Amino acid sequence: MSTKWFGAAIPRRQDARLVRGEGRFLDDIVLPRMAHVAFVRSLHPNAALGAIDAATAMQVPGVLEVVSHADLGEAGRPFLQLLPHHGLASATWSALAPGRVCFAGEAIAAVAAESFAAAQLAAEAVAVEYRTSAPIIDLESAQRPDSPLVHPDIPRNLAMHMVEQCGDVEAALRSAPHRLKERFRITRGGGMPLEPRGVIADYDLNRRELTVWSSTQEPHTVRNTIATMLGLQRHMVRVIAPDTGGGFGTKINVYPEEILVPWLAMRLGRPVKWVETRSEHMLSATQEREQIHDIEVGFDESGRLLALKNVFYHDMGAYAPRGGAVPHNTSAALIGPYRIPNVRSEIAAVYTNTATVSAYRGAGQPQGVFVIERAMDRIAAHLGRDPAEVRRVNTILSDAFPYDTGLTNLLGGAVEYESGDFLGTLDKALELADYAGLRARQVEARKAGRYFGIGIANYVELPGRGPWAGGGVRVEHDGSVPVYTGAPSQGQGHETTMAQICADQLGVSIDRIKVLAGDTALIAHGIGTFASRFGVLGGNAVRLSALEVKEKILRIAGEMLETSVADLEIEDGKVSIVGVPDKSLSFEAVARKALRAAGPDGEEPGLEATRYFKTSNITYSNGTHIATVEVEPATGQVQVLKYFLAHDCGRVINPMIVEGQIMGGIACGIGNALLEEHAYNSEGQLQTGSFMDYAMPRAADMLEIHMVHQETPSTLNPLGIKGVGEAGTIPVPAVICSAIEDALRPLGVKINEAPLPPFRLWKLIRAAAKAA
Amino acid sequence: MYEFEYRRPASVPEAVEMLRDREGAKALAGGMSLLSAMKLRLASPDVLVDLGRIEGMSGIRLEGAEVRIGAMTRHAQVAASAEVGKAIPALADLAGRIGDRQVRNRGTLGGSLANSDPAACYPAAVLGLDARIETDRRSIAAEAFFIDLFETALQSGELITAVRFPVPRSAAYVKFHQPASRFALVGVFVAVTGSGEVRVAVTGAGPVVFRAASIESALAREFSAAAAGAAAVSAQGLNSDMHGDADYRAHLIPVLAARAVAQILERQG
């Protein structure tokens, strides 16, 4: 295979239409006779529902229907558990709240009307009778025997209790020369796509066909769930994800609204649209990150870790649509690039009366990295050693791969790093940052009374999660090449990267290739775009399909040119005999031949293949981030000054896209480190219902990022790709907090939590001053 | 948003008439707060009286030792005004840092003052500079204008027409952002008036803009950043929310006042 296109920094194909405002998003779709939906959402976090009175609402002009759970029949049963985890006490949501609500914001009733304004007005007029109970919000007390219950049938609110271990932690801790104990806390935030969620459904009664548009990362999963919940055959349901204004994990789940809106369309016999308001997004879309970790580490004089014991609480929120995926990821990400012979990781995942927790860019991994990296800094401080050196003595060496960490991933397999050069990224990042120079600068800054800090964090990402993805390739009779897949792009750039892979494998220019994605009609099966997986799995599926098509092209061309396939080569859309470039056939000619009945014996018509790439494992990317900050102790304000990183995501399909993914990831990470926080009060009411209180990073919070790519091919797929979508986000809270603690070392401030908006950091500084 | 009637008067008397006419009528003076509240269904006026087309309600004039700014003057106009930039650079600077570009091009001085948001920037300048608020019927001193949270001395249907800012010897405004809204978590306006009086007005920290007496007297004794920074401000009655409790706000007031004083002294070189 030539690599003319793979590895090239080709501008993303979707950007022109998106930056000109010419994308076609869900709310741009308008169907004739379309009805609009507004939801009645619970005001209380924990309540049994009494009468739901819609009499007044039905009087509002334009109202078509008001429905609650009692109207739904079979469609109202709880969703199936998507990831039935061993030992999981599963609680899944329903299309509308079934007799009780588990968080403030849960949908209780839906109003369909001729306009959204009428639907909204009527929704306010629906009277709901609540019998409220005390909510459980605090995840630490959720497990206590006297705690209120989120789900009456799940004792102690315990969704999942899991222990992962290797070696003998207790013995290793007992004999370790040094031990440290710490408690770390990461607070809840949420994905904030520019475009909120939305669904349109249109049912053709005569054809018995349901078409659904959804702003989703997983159209096939939405299709499968709709078919199951509404009693339809899968082939009767088509789900399309149009241009999507961001996902970040917030759109991976099949939400209640994605069942309710199609159900309403079938009931009303007309198209129905629902577009989430920002307030609804804040209240009812999934959130993530809240965890409390109690860790103990044992280490020797050089800082080498001998044992790591970690017990953590994970907040599941109200429901578990995807089992225990997030806390399991935290556990798997905990040991990062380090050799730790004795590990014990215990998870207690609890339900609380808050919005459901599910994956948000990084999906549990930022927390795991935060914990181990804060521990590395503490070990360094305890021993008076350089934090980079303590990391170095613990790093897995390049000759140790494949390296079995002794832990399991959420698919049940071993967390086994297939390949890597972990010291490579550490050294490259230190060099890029001029680490020694930074330390010298710090000495000067401290002399001048300034609080300048250097943070460092390593990570191993768990991208490319199986089990499979599909991608089809076709050569049309005019020589054009559609590539098709189910997984939509929310900014990842499938339109470009899949074309690059196909172009090289097939031997055509990228200009002939058009990538179609995000429609269940394109391909029978799909899983979706999440967990930094599609480049790895979809890319390799497209490779398989392109190779199969290429073989057929060569067979047909061989007959046409009366020569052996071994003597043929393909370049730039032409098949020619090696050494006789003037004797060649265009793709068009081969494609026409393939479609004619008079094609070669035994060949079926057409040039087309749809293959699936399957893997039982996860690939492992890694990297090292370094940041410098200056802290203003008088206000608690942190300024991130410079940012350096070296990362390795295996072979890079498109460096420009990888850089974009990393930079966007860092923006998200800066939010997680310094700004973004969803807060509930003790009554279970969200305090951050709008961007007036939920702080997002803005353009001015971004900074110049210096990065180097290191390419250690994955050994788990022929293209050697590892995945990168979350790599930018995962280590950022760790590296920024590392830098803040380093900056405030003269004041003795310990950073055990994220995020750190100014007020919270100021409180830590003040507490340290009082203690001193 | 609920249904409402939209009206667009051509003169101040016509606007006052329309506002008096109907109980649920509300003046629209840019709408940067009101429209958001309506979209969130927190406000539901029956009638919106849009002041945007009334001639003579916007504009900036230097009148002797005062800068007169029409109530419907946009923040961006104040920020870009050569007169304001020359006479009261701190006011132009404040206006240029309100909200974002869109807000500065729609929001107005009069709208901001009539709303009296506890975290708005303009009230700090009005109180700090001892400005006078002119309405369709009278002239109100800054001290008497701001009453409480979203409450001013304006009577029902009374319209601000202009604000007269006395030109100070020097002034500076320092704002510490609430991280999400970027309103002032605390904003401190320090002015040395034409007669040499030191005034320190604080926004964001309390339910309504107020003067920090302890800092004013410290600065009257010694006009230095250190003096401002060392003054104690009580947390009593100050705002508390997830972005800062009363102690944090009280702590920030002298910190920011010191920075404002430093700016003034630096400019005087």
Coordinates of all heavy atoms in Angstrom, one line a residue, chain A residues 20-45:
Chain A
R20 N -19.3 28.1 7.5 CA -20.1 29.0 6.8 C -21.6 29.0 7.3 O -22.4 29.7 6.8 CB -20.1 28.7 5.3 CG -18.8 29.2 4.6 CD -19.1 29.3 3.1 NE -19.4 28.0 2.5 CZ -18.5 27.4 1.7 NH1 -17.3 27.9 1.5 NH2 -18.8 26.2 1.2
G21 N -21.8 28.2 8.3 CA -23.2 28.1 8.8 C -24.1 27.4 7.9 O -25.3 27.6 7.9
E22 N -23.5 26.5 7.0 CA -24.4 25.8 6.1 C -24.5 24.3 6.4 O -24.9 23.5 5.5 CB -23.7 26.0 4.7 CG -23.9 27.4 4.2 CD -23.0 27.7 3.0 OE1 -22.2 26.9 2.5 OE2 -23.0 28.9 2.5
G23 N -24.2 24.0 7.6 CA -24.5 22.6 8.0 C -26.0 22.4 8.1 O -26.8 23.3 8.1
R24 N -26.4 21.1 8.1 CA -27.8 20.8 8.2 C -28.0 20.0 9.5 O -27.7 18.8 9.5 CB -28.3 20.0 7.0 CG -29.8 19.8 6.9 CD -30.2 19.3 5.5 NE -31.6 19.3 5.3 CZ -32.3 18.2 5.2 NH1 -31.7 17.0 5.2 NH2 -33.6 18.3 5.1
F25 N -28.5 20.7 10.5 CA -28.6 20.1 11.8 C -30.1 19.7 12.0 O -30.9 20.0 11.2 CB -28.2 21.1 12.9 CG -26.8 21.5 12.8 CD1 -26.3 22.6 12.1 CD2 -25.8 20.7 13.4 CE1 -25.0 22.9 12.0 CE2 -24.5 21.1 13.4 CZ -24.1 22.1 12.6
L26 N -30.3 19.0 13.1 CA -31.6 18.4 13.3 C -32.7 19.5 13.2 O -33.8 19.3 12.6 CB -31.7 17.7 14.6 CG -33.0 17.0 14.8 CD1 -32.9 15.5 15.0 CD2 -33.8 17.7 15.9
D27 N -32.5 20.6 13.9 CA -33.6 21.6 13.9 C -33.8 22.3 12.6 O -34.7 23.1 12.4 CB -33.3 22.7 15.0 CG -34.5 23.4 15.5 OD1 -35.6 22.8 15.3 OD2 -34.4 24.4 16.2
D28 N -32.9 22.1 11.6 CA -33.1 22.6 10.2 C -34.1 21.8 9.5 O -34.5 22.2 8.4 CB -31.7 22.7 9.5 CG -30.7 23.6 10.1 OD1 -31.2 24.7 10.6 OD2 -29.5 23.3 10.2
I29 N -34.4 20.6 10.0 CA -35.3 19.7 9.2 C -36.7 20.1 9.6 O -37.1 20.1 10.7 CB -35.0 18.3 9.6 CG1 -33.5 17.9 9.2 CG2 -36.0 17.3 8.9 CD1 -33.0 16.6 9.7
V30 N -37.5 20.4 8.6 CA -38.9 20.7 8.8 C -39.7 19.8 7.9 O -39.5 19.7 6.6 CB -39.2 22.2 8.4 CG1 -40.6 22.5 8.5 CG2 -38.4 23.1 9.3
L31 N -40.7 19.1 8.4 CA -41.5 18.2 7.7 C -42.9 18.8 7.6 O -43.4 19.4 8.6 CB -41.5 16.8 8.3 CG -40.2 16.1 8.4 CD1 -40.3 14.8 9.1 CD2 -39.5 16.0 7.1
P32 N -43.7 18.5 6.5 CA -45.1 18.9 6.5 C -45.9 18.3 7.7 O -45.6 17.2 8.1 CB -45.6 18.4 5.2 CG -44.4 17.9 4.4 CD -43.3 17.6 5.4
R33 N -46.8 19.1 8.2 CA -47.7 18.7 9.3 C -47.0 18.3 10.6 O -47.5 17.5 11.3 CB -48.6 17.5 8.8 CG -49.5 17.8 7.6 CD -50.3 16.6 7.2 NE -51.3 16.2 8.3 CZ -51.2 15.0 8.9 NH1 -50.3 14.1 8.6 NH2 -52.1 14.7 9.9
M34 N -45.8 18.9 10.7 CA -45.0 18.4 11.9 C -45.6 19.0 13.2 O -45.9 20.2 13.3 CB -43.6 18.9 11.7 CG -42.6 18.3 12.6 SD -40.9 18.6 11.9 CE -40.7 20.3 12.2
A35 N -45.7 18.1 14.2 CA -46.1 18.6 15.5 C -44.9 18.7 16.4 O -43.8 18.2 16.1 CB -47.1 17.5 16.1
H36 N -45.1 19.5 17.5 CA -43.9 19.8 18.3 C -44.2 19.3 19.8 O -45.4 19.3 20.2 CB -43.7 21.3 18.3 CG -43.4 21.8 17.0 ND1 -42.1 22.0 16.5 CD2 -44.2 22.1 15.9 CE1 -42.1 22.4 15.3 NE2 -43.4 22.5 14.9
V37 N -43.1 19.0 20.4 CA -43.3 18.4 21.8 C -42.6 19.3 22.8 O -41.5 19.8 22.6 CB -42.6 17.0 21.8 CG1 -42.7 16.4 23.2 CG2 -43.4 16.1 20.9
A38 N -43.2 19.4 24.0 CA -42.6 19.9 25.2 C -42.8 19.0 26.3 O -43.9 18.3 26.3 CB -43.2 21.3 25.5
F39 N -41.9 18.9 27.2 CA -42.0 17.9 28.3 C -42.3 18.6 29.6 O -41.9 19.7 29.9 CB -40.7 17.2 28.5 CG -40.5 16.1 27.4 CD1 -39.7 16.5 26.3 CD2 -41.0 14.9 27.5 CE1 -39.5 15.5 25.2 CE2 -40.8 13.9 26.5 CZ -40.1 14.3 25.4
V40 N -43.1 17.9 30.4 CA -43.3 18.3 31.8 C -42.3 17.5 32.6 O -42.2 16.3 32.6 CB -44.7 17.9 32.3 CG1 -44.9 18.2 33.8 CG2 -45.8 18.4 31.4
R41 N -41.4 18.3 33.3 CA -40.3 17.6 34.0 C -40.4 17.8 35.5 O -40.9 18.8 36.0 CB -39.0 18.2 33.5 CG -38.7 17.9 32.1 CD -37.3 18.3 31.6 NE -37.2 18.0 30.2 CZ -36.8 16.8 29.7 NH1 -36.4 15.8 30.6 NH2 -36.7 16.6 28.4
S42 N -40.0 16.8 36.2 CA -40.2 16.8 37.6 C -39.5 17.9 38.3 O -38.4 18.3 38.1 CB -39.6 15.5 38.2 OG -39.7 15.5 39.6
L43 N -40.2 18.5 39.3 CA -39.7 19.6 40.1 C -38.9 19.0 41.3 O -38.2 19.7 42.0 CB -40.8 20.5 40.6 CG -41.7 21.1 39.6 CD1 -42.9 21.8 40.2 CD2 -40.9 22.1 38.7
H44 N -39.1 17.7 41.6 CA -38.6 17.1 42.8 C -37.6 16.0 42.4 O -37.8 15.3 41.5 CB -39.7 16.6 43.7 CG -40.7 17.7 44.1 ND1 -40.4 18.6 45.0 CD2 -41.9 18.0 43.6 CE1 -41.4 19.5 45.2 NE2 -42.3 19.1 44.3
P45 N -36.6 15.8 43.3 CA -35.6 14.8 43.0 C -36.0 13.4 43.4 O -35.5 12.4 42.8 CB -34.4 15.2 43.8 CG -34.9 16.0 44.9 CD -36.2 16.7 44.4

